[in-house]
Amino acid sequence: MAIVGADVLNNETATETELSPKSWVRELTEQILEQGTTEGAEYEGRPVVLFTITGAKSGKKRYVPLMRVEAGGSYAMVGSNGAGTANPSWYYNIKANPTVTVQDGTKIVTLHARELEGAEREKWWTLAVESFPQYAEFQSQTDRQLPVFILE
């Protein structure tokens, strides 16, 4: 499914940005797009932000609402995939195309994503778990280390 028309995040016309095939993700994204803000958009009672990424193979823009993990104007993206055995599909898109647009409230910025390791990952992992404690539960349910990206 795609939204055709004005791309809210990039102010371009006749741009096609794809919505998730998962109904709850699509509904959350549609709520944000209809309101024009992430204010009031929540998952499990916690705030989310809306990321726009570029597909690695298709080059299409895709919306990804994730938990709000922010510090000092930088944002984190955690690839939990609900404790699944594989990384979420957006992981591979960001590895190929690290330029990401972030909408937090009505503020929209374009940032560069990079995957974290070591002490820097641990710092942001702690912030992520504080923002959404279920991340710790997800980590305990899978053998893979949940990837963490910083966007700055």
Side-chain angles (χ1 to χ4, degrees):
M1 178 174 201
I3 287 185
V4 179
D7 183 326
V8 174
L9 298 180
N10 295 323
N11 294 323
E12 298 172 0
T13 57
T15 299
E16 187 174 310
T17 304
E18 290 193 349
L19 296 173
S20 174
K22 294 181 182 176
S23 62
W24 70 269
V25 176
R26 185 176 57 251
E27 290 166 8
L28 184 59
T29 303
E30 287 171 337
Q31 174 191 347
I32 294 166
L33 295 174
E34 287 170 12
Q35 294 177 172
T37 181
T38 61
E39 294 295 326
E42 297 181 340
Y43 178 75
E44 302 277 329
R46 304 282 180 148
V48 299
V49 294
L50 186 62
F51 298 95
T52 304
I53 62 172
T54 304
K57 294 178 184 174
S58 70
K60 290 183 180 179
K61 299 291 184 184
R62 301 178 190 280
Y63 293 121
V64 180
L66 293 176
M67 306 316 295
R68 185 182 188 278
V69 182
E70 185 273 338
S74 296
Y75 293 83
M77 296 176 79
V78 177
S80 66
N81 202 18
T85 58
N87 289 323
S89 58
W90 61 256
Y91 171 90
Y92 305 99
N93 294 332
I94 289 180
K95 293 292 276 187
N97 298 302
T99 300
V100 178
T101 301
V102 183
Q103 180 175 353
D104 184 2
T106 58
K107 179 180 87 170
I108 299 169
V109 294
T110 300
L111 302 170
H112 182 83
R114 65 182 168 82
E115 191 168 2
L116 299 178
E117 297 178 353
E120 190 177 25
R121 182 198 179 278
E122 289 307 311
K123 172 189 165 191
W124 280 93
W125 174 252
T126 298
L127 290 170
V129 170
E130 288 171 2
S131 297
F132 187 61
Q134 199 168 2
Y135 281 142
E137 182 181 328
F138 290 160
Q139 183 60 78
S140 72
Q141 296 172 349
T142 185
D143 292 333
R144 69 182 174 90
Q145 182 179 54
L146 301 183
V148 178
F149 288 84
I150 186 170
L151 288 82
E152 48 191 4

